[in-house]
């Protein structure tokens, strides 16, 4: 069946989201159509606000409304540690734990030769620059996901950073292989940070 153009565009829009196929996109489109107009307007405004009001922190790469972000601007954070994560959502997950008080750096991806992603395609150069400019940083904790790409990125970073005399550690394997940090509970994350190992 062919849908009217606005519905077809909405379905297509939902299909651009990860993990959303045609059936789910169609279901979401018709759910949206059935929503009250004010809820649809709030939803649309929230989407516009994420693109219009958010920026990327010039220091760590986290998404933020202010630059630098709240974490980078907080003098109470432990300035000697930087925890490197794949995506901004990983920072939110780590912050729920409430036991890590250092700084962060977001890579915005991982090395993936199969997808054509090399070191220049993720946020590594700004990490190197940051470490060269900030002598307070003594330890880099690599918190990439326990996937082949996450492991390859961790190994690359360790080889790159160790010659600079920094302590380079990786989260302990309290995280299941193949799992994402985003889905780990606070206790698992706490044990992973506490049991991190030097690379």
């Amino acid at each position: 069946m062919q849908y009217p153009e606005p519905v077809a565009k909405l379905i297509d829009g939902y299909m651009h989201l990860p993990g959303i196929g045609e059936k789910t996109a169609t279901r979401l489109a018709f759910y949206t159509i059935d929503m009250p107009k004010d809820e649809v307007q709030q939803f649309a405004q929230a989407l516009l606000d994420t693109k219009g009001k958010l920026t990327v922190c010039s220091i760590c790469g986290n998404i933020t409304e202010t630059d630098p972000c709240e974490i980078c601007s907080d003098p109470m954070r432990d300035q000697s540690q930087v925890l490197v994560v794949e995506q901004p959502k990983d920072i939110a997950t780590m912050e729920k734990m409430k036991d890590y008080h250092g700084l962060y750096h977001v890579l915005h991806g991982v090395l993936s030769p199969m997808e054509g992603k090399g070191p220049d395609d993720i946020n590594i150069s700004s990490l190197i620059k940051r470490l060269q400019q900030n002598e307070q940083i003594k330890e880099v904790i690599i918190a990439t996901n326990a996937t082949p790409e996450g492991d390859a990125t961790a190994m690359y970073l360790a080889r790159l950073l160790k010659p600079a005399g920094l302590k380079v550690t990786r989260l302990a394997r309290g995280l299941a292989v193949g799992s994402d940090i985003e889905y780990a509970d606070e206790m698992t994350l706490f044990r992973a940070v506490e049991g991190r190992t030097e690379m």
Side-chain angles (χ1 to χ4, degrees):
M1 175 182 175
Q2 201 165 21
Y3 296 109
E5 186 178 354
V7 177
K9 284 183 177 180
L10 187 57
I11 292 169
D12 186 57
Y14 279 125
M15 285 177 59
H16 282 87
L17 298 173
I20 304 292
E22 188 175 356
K23 284 184 179 182
T24 302
T26 302
R27 194 174 310 117
L28 289 170
F30 279 97
Y31 179 82
T32 306
I33 291 166
D34 290 339
M35 289 170 61
K37 187 174 183 176
D38 62 322
E39 286 183 27
V40 173
Q41 288 174 329
Q42 288 174 0
F43 180 57
Q45 190 60 52
L47 290 172
L48 292 170
D49 287 349
T50 60
K51 296 307 278 184
K53 293 183 178 178
L54 294 179
T55 187
V56 174
C57 177
S58 59
I59 298 172
C60 71
N62 192 14
I63 53 172
T64 179
E65 290 183 81
T66 59
D67 186 20
C69 71
E70 288 182 22
I71 294 172
C72 290
S73 301
D74 185 352
M76 301 305 291
R77 303 293 297 209
D78 182 349
Q79 304 292 310
S80 70
Q81 293 180 324
V82 173
L83 192 138
V84 178
V85 296
E86 292 180 17
Q87 299 294 339
K89 64 185 176 186
D90 298 329
I91 291 178
T93 303
M94 293 300 294
E95 285 294 290
K96 283 182 196 171
M97 181 179 59
K98 296 185 182 356
D99 286 307
Y100 175 73
H101 304 290
L103 303 172
Y104 293 96
H105 191 85
V106 183
L107 295 174
H108 293 280
V110 288
L111 299 176
S112 179
M114 297 292 283
E115 295 177 17
K117 277 191 172 181
D120 294 336
D121 299 312
I122 59 177
N123 196 20
I124 292 177
S125 61
S126 67
L127 173 63
I128 303 303
K129 184 178 176 183
R130 181 180 184 187
L131 296 172
Q132 290 170 342
Q133 293 175 346
N134 188 344
E135 293 180 9
Q136 287 183 299
I137 299 170
K138 304 297 181 201
E139 179 182 11
V140 176
I141 305 166
I142 301 173
T144 53
N145 292 323
T147 62
E149 295 83 4
D151 290 341
T153 304
M155 291 304 296
Y156 178 83
L157 287 172
R159 276 186 254 146
L160 196 64
L161 301 176
K162 278 192 94 101
L166 291 164
K167 182 177 181 182
V168 180
T169 58
R170 176 119 163 90
L171 289 186
R173 292 303 178 140
L175 299 172
V177 173
S179 68
D180 289 344
I181 289 173
E182 176 184 9
Y183 302 112
D185 66 314
E186 287 84 359
M187 185 51 71
T188 301
L189 286 173
F190 175 74
R191 289 187 180 140
V193 170
E194 288 300 306
R196 66 186 182 273
T197 56
E198 191 160 353
M199 296 180 72

